[in-house]
Amino acid sequence: MSLLEIHVLGAPGLRQESQPVGAITDDVRRLADDMFETMYAASGIGLAAAQVGRRERLFVVDVDDTPLVLINPELVARDGTAKGEEGCLSIPEIYGDVERAARVTMRALDADGRAFEVEGTELLARCLQHEMDHLQGRLFIDYLSILKRRSAMAKWERERAKYPSLRRTLDPRDLAEQHNDEAL
Ligand code: K1U
Ligand code: ZN
């Protein structure tokens, strides 16, 4: 498995619509495995292919120790609303409150090409919607009020200086440290 670079705000691919996956090949499965490794190294709970510079319509999530790969996901049901704080691995150090559906059901293919449904509430519901947005080129900052977005962007202008290539390179030692922490 390999750690992938995470594209950060300003990279054009983050604003493009992802394309449906035709066949679930070994290349697609390898991409999903690499995305899990990258997500864990970055201490995230989700990661969309667009965030690692790929066009495939797929994302991975792991909330409450339940790793899931969603290929060609579709939203099939939503209910209620809930407001909560979000971050994004592509906009490090920026956070904001976003109102989302409180409960969602999504249908997708897994890494073996089998159709499945996942129903999420609380953090899983939020994460599934956040990742679906990535597949449409939408980011959580798009939901902030003008004032909150302006202040988030002012902070990001200072942060983005750390990413001149608009790529975030993770340190493999972060992954090793997390495994050590879990073992304690
Ligand atoms: O897609 C991404 O950028 C991943 C993002 C997903 C997400 C975060 C918060 C709410 C909804 C969706 C992250 O994982 S950022 C890391 C993070 O904020 C977080 C990590 C653990 C628990 C809760 C949030
Ligand atoms: Zn994100």
Side-chain angles (χ1 to χ4, degrees):
M1 283 205 281
S2 318
L3 274 183
L4 306 171
E5 289 184 322
I6 297 179
H7 293 216
V8 302
L9 185 61
L14 281 181
R15 290 303 195 175
Q16 285 168 2
E17 189 167 354
S18 298
Q19 299 301 311
V21 174
I24 301 177
T25 58
D26 284 347
D27 181 51
V28 172
R29 279 187 278 271
R30 197 171 316 114
L31 171 62
D33 286 346
D34 290 346
M35 286 170 58
F36 272 120
E37 188 177 17
T38 304
M39 179 187 80
Y40 293 131
S43 300
I45 54 172
L47 189 68
Q51 292 178 275
V52 294
R54 299 279 294 244
R55 302 295 303 271
E56 288 91 341
R57 184 173 169 78
L58 82 88
F59 63 78
V60 298
V61 296
D62 189 348
V63 175
D64 296 333
D65 291 327
T66 307
L68 294 172
V69 184
L70 284 90
I71 300 172
N72 296 341
E74 291 165 41
L75 180 69
V76 292
R78 49 179 292 158
D79 186 33
T81 56
K83 203 171 194 177
E85 189 175 69
E86 295 192 19
C88 181
L89 298 180
S90 294
I91 324 175
E93 305 301 330
I94 307 297
Y95 302 93
D97 284 341
V98 178
E99 189 163 285
R100 303 248 186 212
R103 175 189 297 268
V104 293
T105 305
M106 290 189 186
R107 185 177 300 139
L109 300 178
D110 68 14
D112 296 315
R114 283 189 289 254
F116 72 103
E117 284 196 1
V118 54
E119 185 184 299
T121 59
E122 300 182 352
L123 188 57
L124 178 58
R126 183 165 297 284
C127 188
L128 290 167
Q129 292 171 85
H130 179 114
E131 301 310 328
M132 276 297 262
D133 273 354
H134 273 302
L135 303 184
Q136 302 294 328
R138 240 186 337 252
L139 300 170
F140 84 90
I141 51 170
D142 301 344
Y143 297 102
L144 302 181
S145 67
I146 291 173
L147 279 180
K148 288 202 170 134
R149 188 179 163 130
R150 200 174 284 160
S151 106
M153 287 306 91
K155 182 165 183 208
W156 173 247
E157 280 311 310
R158 297 189 292 275
E159 285 295 319
R160 75 179 282 173
K162 295 180 189 164
Y163 310 101
S165 64
L166 297 179
R167 307 272 198 284
R168 187 178 165 196
T169 306
L170 300 163
D171 187 338
R173 282 172 300 187
D174 291 343
L175 196 59
E177 268 168 32
Q178 281 169 37
H179 285 310
N180 291 341
D181 290 348
E182 279 161 20
L184 290 176

